[in-house]
């Protein structure tokens, strides 16, 4: 099931595969060097004289000894290869295996940086994107030294609101019901006192879990935020035991307990976490429901909290004090830095970019307009669809790797193509550009020295993106025709043109008093898009290598909000990849305002999005596809080797 780059060779000289491998290694970056070379008498061709990829012989697994994966040359390479494998959840990774070709993404890269720092190796997320391999990372990694804590980053005390917090406040509705939850299957023999001790370690370690949000006392409806000191939250009040010995735990029971837990949440009293243990008895595996107010958690935070909770439980169960890996920059410090960054001249200058983007044409998709009083969470409709592993696997690996792109780029390209086709078939014009609000993880490296790889909080960034793949015939999209590659490259470049992955928009919209009112008066995109990355599916270990802690089968990621909260968009699609036993599956949840969209229209658009994704996958299977685009070669960082690659890519495109 692993991804490998295989070279098929028809030799016309006496050179051996080893000679060819050395020749290639001297001329290509490590991640483009084939894993092995298969010698053929001739390349198989179709009746039309083109390469028949399906007839190429599969790699003989027994032949791996003849072309082994290169062993790490240094201890640092060995360590980083092991950490890359751990971050990806695979058995092993070679020093020259491409992180992204194996399914890595921006969120997994944050976990890799966190794992490296825990091992004493300093990396940045941008290093992962630039180097891509353990060997490359070993060249730029730094040895971390133990330093005194930053006196300005105690993490405790009054805190500034972040852009996403202000965005939520503008939607109305109560914050207490706004939550996310995960259900785990836990080892038999878990004890309540051990669980309380572990949860206490968790809330003491992660500052955000001790946040309070209270009225400021002013008439403008503002709130004051404060992070309480260690010990201000008692785990004994957080953990609740439900006796399920001899009874079944099903989705109905879990949802009832999740709803009860959400009613106990109170940002004003600092109650932001609830842990419900379904105790099936000492000999049976139980369930553990973790409910966290969305004010202090996001997709990346779950990847920090759950492994930490498991590590703390195992330590206490082994009669050891729980010691969690240190965090870097606190949420409180980050919020303060954002407030300063929002007023920097270079950041303020971005306002013209966002203004131009939001004032360009965006013809309506529906006859009505979004109404905050009418179109609320309580009235929203929802539809969940998924793509099978045979489509999702290349979507995560071969397609983005071929185009030096991200999974998000591929998904946005497909969404723009689908919306354009939906417009054509529903009398909404032939407009090909798509204005869409995109959610990002928000942990961008915009301030020197900041490390958010192990910081828990709600960091999400939300920013508008205008992508235009150009006019393509729908038949070519579905068939994976040659023009799809250029469409993907166009969208990739349009997304890359936004500075710092769009984080500046939220700063200027919500934290800058000069630019905020101007941006608030502009149009809001009709669609919202979010790709949450990869999550384990039911039955999969929460942490690789610890099979006794798994995602429970009864229900998946749960969430809730105050029904009175206004919808941010008339139509949204939230997608994630679930790593199922048979392979990864893309899951898409469509949410819409029923007074603007009908289910029939949403299903039609969702179907066209999936068909466009399949078309891009088909296009990625072509032997003549892929290549670089200008953003792959920042002009300030071009080496002679980069220039030669750029010239070669240009010749291919011509």
């Amino acid at each position: 099931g692993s991804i490998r780059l295989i070279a098929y060779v028809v030799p016309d000289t006496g050179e051996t595969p080893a000679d060819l491998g050395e020749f290639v290694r001297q001329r290509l970056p490590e991640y483009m060097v084939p894993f092995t070379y298969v010698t053929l008498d001739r390349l198989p061709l179709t009746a039309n004289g083109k390469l028949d990829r399906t007839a190429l012989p599969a790699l003989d697994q027994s032949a791996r000894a003849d072309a082994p994966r290169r062993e790490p040359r240094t201890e640092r390479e060995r360590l980083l290869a092991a950490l890359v494998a751990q971050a990806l959840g695979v058995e092993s990774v070679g020093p020259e295996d491409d992180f992204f070709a194996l399914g890595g993404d921006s969120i997994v890269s944050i976990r890799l940086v966190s794992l490296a720092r825990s091992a004493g190796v300093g990396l940045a997320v941008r290093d992962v994107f630039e180097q891509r391999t353990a060997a490359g990372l070993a060249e730029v990694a730094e040895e971390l030294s133990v330093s005194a804590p930053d006196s300005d980053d105690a993490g405790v005390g009054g805190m500034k609101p972040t852009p996403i917090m202000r965005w939520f406040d503008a939607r109305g509705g109560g914050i207490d019901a706004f939550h996310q939850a995960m259900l785990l299957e836990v080892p038999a023999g878990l004890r309540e006192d051990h669980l309380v001790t572990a949860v206490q370690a968790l809330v003491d370690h992660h500052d955000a879990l001790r946040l309070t949000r209270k009225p400021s006392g002013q008439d403008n409806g503002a709130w004051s935020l404060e992070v309480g000191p260690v010990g201000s939250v008692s785990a004994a009040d957080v953990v609740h035991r439900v006796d399920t010995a001899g009874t079944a735990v099903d989705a109905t029971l879990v949802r009832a307990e999740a709803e009860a837990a959400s009613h106990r949440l109170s940002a004003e009293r600092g109650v932001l976490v609830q842990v419900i243990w379904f105790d099936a008895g000492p000999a049976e595996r139980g369930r553990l429901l973790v409910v966290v107010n969305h004010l202090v958690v996001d997709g990346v935070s779950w990847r920090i909290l759950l492994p930490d909770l498991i590590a703390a439980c195992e330590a206490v169960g082994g009669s050891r004090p729980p010691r969690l890996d240190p965090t870097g920059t606190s949420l409180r410090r980050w919020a303060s830095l954002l407030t300063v960054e929002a007023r920097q001249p270079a950041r303020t200058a971005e306002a013209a970019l966002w203004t131009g983007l939001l004032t360009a044409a965006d013809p309506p998709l529906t006859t009505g307009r979004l109404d905050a009083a009418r179109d609320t969470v309580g009235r929203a409709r929802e539809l969940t669809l998924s793509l099978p592993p045979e489509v999702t696997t290349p979507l995560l690996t071969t397609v983005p790797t071929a185009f030096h792109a991200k999974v998000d780029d591929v998904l946005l390209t497909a969404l723009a193509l689908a919306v354009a086709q939906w417009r054509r078939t529903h009398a909404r014009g032939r407009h090909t550009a798509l204005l869409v609000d995109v959610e990002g993880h928000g942990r961008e490296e915009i301030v020197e020295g900041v490390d958010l790889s192990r910081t828990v909080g709600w960091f999400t960034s939300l920013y508008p993106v205008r992508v235009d793949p150009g006019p393509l015939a729908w038949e070519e999209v579905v068939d994976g025709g040659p023009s799809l590659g250029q469409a993907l490259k166009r969208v990739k470049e349009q997304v890359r043109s936004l500075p710092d992955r769009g984080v500046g928009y939220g700063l200027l919209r919500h934290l800058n008093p000069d630019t905020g009112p101007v941006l608030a008066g502009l149009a809001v995109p009709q669609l919202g898009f979010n790709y949450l990355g990869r999550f384990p599916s039911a039955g999969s270990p929460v942490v690789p290598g610890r099979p006794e802690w798994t995602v429970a089968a009864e229900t998946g990621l749960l969430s809730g909000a105050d029904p009175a909260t206004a919808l941010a968009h008339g139509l949204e699609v939230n997608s994630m990849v679930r790593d199922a036993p048979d392979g990864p599956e893309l899951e898409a949840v469509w949410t819409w305002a029923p007074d603007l969209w009908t289910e029939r229209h949403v299903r039609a658009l969702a179907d066209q999005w999936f068909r466009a994704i399949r078309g891009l996958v088909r296009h990625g299977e072509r032997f003549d596809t892929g290549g670089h685009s200008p953003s792959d070669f920042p002009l300030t960082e071009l080496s002679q080797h980069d220039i030669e690659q750029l010239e070669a890519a240009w010749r291919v495109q011509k």
Side-chain angles (χ1 to χ4, degrees):
S2 59
I3 306 298
R4 295 287 181 266
L5 181 63
I6 311 299
Y8 293 91
V9 184
V10 179
D12 59 2
T13 69
E15 302 291 336
T16 66
D19 297 327
L20 180 58
E22 185 59 31
F23 177 86
V24 170
R25 193 179 303 280
Q26 293 175 3
R27 287 161 175 79
L28 292 178
E30 294 284 4
Y31 68 87
M32 294 178 68
V33 175
F35 169 69
T36 191
Y37 298 82
V38 178
T39 302
L40 302 175
D41 294 331
R42 64 180 182 275
L43 293 175
L45 302 178
T46 66
N48 296 324
K50 295 185 177 182
L51 178 68
D52 186 357
R53 291 172 59 104
T54 61
L56 289 170
L59 177 65
D60 182 0
Q61 300 298 313
S62 64
R64 288 194 175 196
D66 299 330
R69 174 192 286 164
R70 174 173 79 74
E71 289 296 315
R73 296 191 178 104
T74 64
E75 282 304 312
R76 178 166 288 179
E77 273 194 3
R78 189 181 307 279
L79 171 63
L80 284 166
L83 294 177
V84 170
Q86 185 178 348
L88 291 168
V90 298
E91 184 175 344
S92 65
V93 168
E96 294 165 358
D97 289 346
D98 188 320
F99 173 80
F100 295 97
L102 294 174
D105 57 29
S106 60
I107 294 178
V108 180
S109 69
I110 295 174
R111 172 159 172 75
L112 174 58
V113 169
S114 173
L115 291 171
R117 288 184 175 274
S118 298
V121 178
L123 292 175
V125 171
R126 64 175 175 272
D127 294 329
V128 181
F129 277 87
E130 292 171 359
Q131 302 301 324
R132 304 179 70 96
T133 68
L137 290 172
E139 294 292 326
V140 301
E142 299 177 351
E143 198 76 29
L144 291 180
S145 58
V146 178
S147 57
D150 186 349
S151 59
D152 294 331
D153 195 12
V156 174
M159 190 184 112
K160 302 285 187 182
T162 61
I164 198 65
M165 292 177 181
R166 289 191 179 276
W167 169 83
F168 180 83
D169 284 344
R171 294 172 58 194
I175 190 68
D176 290 341
F178 193 35
H179 70 275
Q180 292 183 333
M182 287 285 290
L183 182 70
L184 312 181
E185 188 170 2
V186 298
L190 182 66
R191 287 170 39 181
E192 186 173 5
D193 58 335
H194 288 176
L195 180 59
V196 169
T197 302
V199 171
Q200 189 67 59
L202 197 71
V203 297
D204 285 347
H205 190 74
H206 294 293
D207 303 332
L209 303 183
R210 305 190 304 275
L211 187 71
T212 59
R213 177 181 182 267
K214 299 179 180 180
S216 65
Q218 302 175 5
D219 294 334
N220 58 4
W223 300 85
S224 65
L225 301 170
E226 184 163 348
V227 178
V230 171
S232 58
V233 174
S234 171
D237 299 329
V238 169
V239 176
H240 302 268
R241 175 180 172 272
V242 177
D243 187 355
T244 59
T247 62
V249 175
D250 57 17
T252 302
L253 175 61
V254 171
R255 291 185 182 278
E257 289 294 336
E259 183 176 356
S262 71
H263 290 317
R264 293 192 293 268
L265 297 176
S266 170
E268 190 167 340
R269 293 187 289 109
V271 182
L272 301 179
V273 182
Q274 293 286 287
V275 178
I276 298 90
W277 176 37
F278 298 92
D279 181 8
E284 298 292 334
R285 299 188 66 183
R287 303 292 187 271
L288 196 68
L289 178 65
V290 183
V291 182
V292 186
N293 192 298
H294 201 345
L295 182 68
V296 294
V297 75
D298 56 16
V300 176
S301 297
W302 281 110
R303 294 168 170 88
I304 302 168
L305 285 175
L306 295 182
D308 277 5
L309 178 59
I310 292 170
C313 284
E314 291 184 343
V316 175
S319 301
R320 304 186 309 274
R323 292 191 174 91
L324 304 179
D325 291 335
T327 57
T329 306
S330 71
L331 176 63
R332 177 174 177 266
R333 174 67 173 157
W334 175 246
S336 177
L337 291 171
L338 290 183
T339 302
V340 175
E341 177 68 18
R343 300 179 185 232
Q344 295 295 325
R347 190 64 67 184
T348 304
E350 283 183 24
L353 180 152
W354 300 111
T355 300
L357 190 149
L358 289 171
T359 52
D362 183 35
L365 293 167
T366 59
T367 56
R369 298 171 64 88
L370 194 67
D371 184 327
R374 177 195 64 197
D375 301 318
T376 61
V377 168
R379 298 189 67 246
R381 299 285 305 279
E382 192 173 281
L383 172 68
T384 301
L385 302 169
S386 61
L387 279 174
E390 58 265 27
V391 179
T392 304
T393 298
L395 168 67
L396 298 175
T397 55
T398 55
V399 179
T401 301
F403 287 92
H404 308 273
K406 298 193 303 179
V407 177
D408 313 50
D409 301 325
V410 184
L411 295 175
L412 276 173
T413 302
L415 185 60
L417 292 167
V419 171
Q421 174 64 8
W422 191 90
R423 286 184 183 275
R424 288 191 292 267
T425 56
H426 290 80
R428 289 289 163 184
R430 305 188 68 81
H431 195 70
T432 59
L434 172 66
L435 179 63
V436 57
D437 261 344
V438 173
E439 288 192 35
H441 57 67
R443 300 170 189 243
E444 310 301 343
E445 296 164 343
I446 59 174
V447 180
E448 190 70 27
V450 167
D451 173 20
L452 300 171
S453 60
R454 272 193 48 77
T455 306
V456 169
W458 189 19
F459 288 86
T460 302
S461 58
L462 182 68
Y463 55 97
V465 176
R466 183 177 294 275
V467 293
D468 188 352
L472 274 76
W474 185 243
E475 293 74 16
E476 183 171 9
V477 172
V478 174
D479 292 340
S483 297
L484 269 183
Q486 289 303 318
L488 175 53
K489 288 180 180 179
R490 276 193 291 269
V491 170
K492 170 188 165 185
E493 290 301 303
Q494 291 158 2
V495 173
R496 297 289 192 281
S497 69
L498 301 178
D500 298 321
R501 296 183 180 86
V503 72
Y505 175 78
L507 299 180
L508 298 175
R509 169 65 179 83
H510 299 288
L511 301 185
N512 187 310
D514 298 323
T515 58
V518 177
L519 294 175
L522 301 179
V524 175
Q526 300 173 74
L527 267 63
F529 168 81
N530 185 18
Y531 173 62
L532 290 161
R534 302 178 74 158
F535 283 86
S537 64
S540 301
V542 177
V543 178
R546 291 176 175 171
E548 61 277 9
W549 295 81
T550 61
V551 177
E554 287 77 15
T555 187
L557 179 66
L558 297 169
S559 62
D562 184 344
T565 305
L567 292 175
H569 309 94
L571 178 64
E572 292 184 351
V573 56
N574 287 273
S575 57
M576 69 174 68
V577 170
R578 295 195 181 277
D579 288 313
D582 294 334
E585 298 178 354
L586 179 73
E587 180 179 284
V589 180
W590 294 82
T591 307
W592 68 92
D595 287 282
L596 300 182
W597 291 83
T598 66
E599 181 173 344
R600 180 171 61 87
H601 285 169
V602 173
R603 282 187 178 275
L605 179 55
D607 176 67
Q608 286 162 339
W609 187 45
F610 275 4
R611 293 182 71 189
I613 291 173
R614 289 177 182 272
L616 283 160
V617 168
R618 291 189 186 98
H619 179 78
E621 293 172 345
R622 295 164 54 99
F623 74 93
D624 57 348
T625 193
H628 290 280
S629 58
S631 63
D632 297 324
F633 302 94
L635 294 178
T636 57
E637 303 174 6
L638 280 180
S639 66
Q640 183 58 39
H641 180 66
D642 291 334
I643 293 172
E644 291 172 358
Q645 278 194 291
L646 187 57
E647 290 173 344
W650 175 247
R651 287 194 296 271
V652 170
Q653 292 302 319
K654 290 183 69 178

